[in-house]
Amino acid sequence: MSAILARKLGMTQLFQDDGTVARVTVLEAGPCPVTAIRTAERDGYDAVQLAFGATREKRLTRPELGHLKKAGAPPMRRLAEFRGEAHELQIGESVTVARFEVGAHVKVSGTSKGKGFQGTIKRHGFKRGPKSHGSHNVRAPGSIGASADPARVFRGLRAAGQMGNERVTQRGLEIVQVDTARNLLLVRGSVPGPRGGVVEVRSDG
């Protein structure tokens, strides 16, 4: 199976044998026990459910604990399903970084950093107004609608509002190094989310 849950540890640089430098993101990936298998005959789709992030029992509900114990898994904080990956795994198995190869390309999905309420310049890349000749339109959004007709503001206009804190998928990231002893994946490039955030790693083939 070429999918796993991981925790983003941060970024660093890795010197290659040919003298080049690779800017990489370090991911602590797995081990992820298989806690459920979805099949098209029973559930309407094929998928495998993985667990990640050890935690204490008191932080989980009784249904969550019962679900994990039924699969023979310890208390885990995060569950995620990966569609189309259930054909070679069984409940009770563990997915590790050993299933990934150096040079393979993956896509990483996570929740981006929340920026709070931001204006149109930062959120959408609008240009600012003039700073001279008494202008008060330095970072204001400008006109957003006509007066008499249609006499309202249309839906969907790019305006100020909440920025970030949404699901983002970064594709085409190359695996530079696989550390099976420490359960680490080093991928070239940036990964969505803050340090410590949980991301989903899938093959991008």
Side-chain angles (χ1 to χ4, degrees):
M1 174 184 172
S2 53
I4 199 171
L5 288 168
R7 178 176 290 106
K8 179 179 176 180
L9 299 183
M11 293 195 69
T12 186
Q13 57 185 9
L14 188 66
F15 289 89
Q16 308 282 45
D17 295 334
D18 58 359
T20 59
V21 179
R23 277 76 181 182
V24 298
T25 301
V26 183
L27 301 176
E28 182 186 2
C32 296
V34 178
T35 54
I37 299 292
R38 311 299 186 194
T39 60
E41 295 77 14
R42 185 184 65 231
D43 305 294
Y45 64 99
D46 293 319
V48 59
Q49 184 185 84
L50 301 181
F52 178 73
T55 186
R56 291 181 289 180
E57 287 191 6
K58 71 175 186 177
R59 295 187 177 274
L60 300 177
T61 63
R62 292 175 64 185
E64 290 172 337
L65 286 173
H67 176 69
L68 292 171
K69 288 181 178 179
K70 184 178 179 180
M76 307 291 274
R77 185 185 302 272
R78 184 68 64 92
L79 296 175
E81 287 188 1
F82 298 90
R83 293 208 174 196
E85 301 284 353
H87 52 277
E88 76 247 24
L89 291 172
Q90 300 294 329
I91 295 179
E93 291 187 43
S94 184
V95 177
T96 66
V97 295
R99 292 179 175 265
F100 293 85
E101 298 179 356
V102 174
H105 287 80
V106 295
K107 55 184 177 181
V108 181
S109 301
T111 302
S112 62
K113 294 180 180 179
K115 306 293 184 179
F117 189 95
Q118 298 297 333
T120 54
I121 292 180
K122 181 173 181 177
R123 191 179 186 211
H124 299 295
F126 282 16
K127 293 183 178 180
R128 62 169 179 80
K131 288 187 175 181
S132 60
H133 301 288
S135 172
H136 296 282
N137 184 21
V138 178
R139 294 179 68 91
S143 176
I144 58 174
S147 177
D149 183 25
R152 64 188 178 91
V153 176
F154 287 106
R155 290 177 179 268
L157 290 183
R158 293 183 298 167
Q162 165 70 33
M163 181 179 178
N165 193 30
E166 59 186 3
R167 183 177 175 85
V168 176
T169 299
Q170 186 69 36
R171 305 194 64 169
L173 299 177
E174 179 188 357
I175 297 179
V176 178
Q177 184 175 318
V178 178
D179 190 340
T180 56
R182 295 184 293 175
N183 299 316
L184 297 180
L185 279 178
L186 277 65
V187 297
R188 189 190 304 272
S190 59
V191 166
R195 286 192 298 270
V198 177
V199 296
E200 303 170 6
V201 183
R202 299 177 177 86
S203 62
D204 193 14

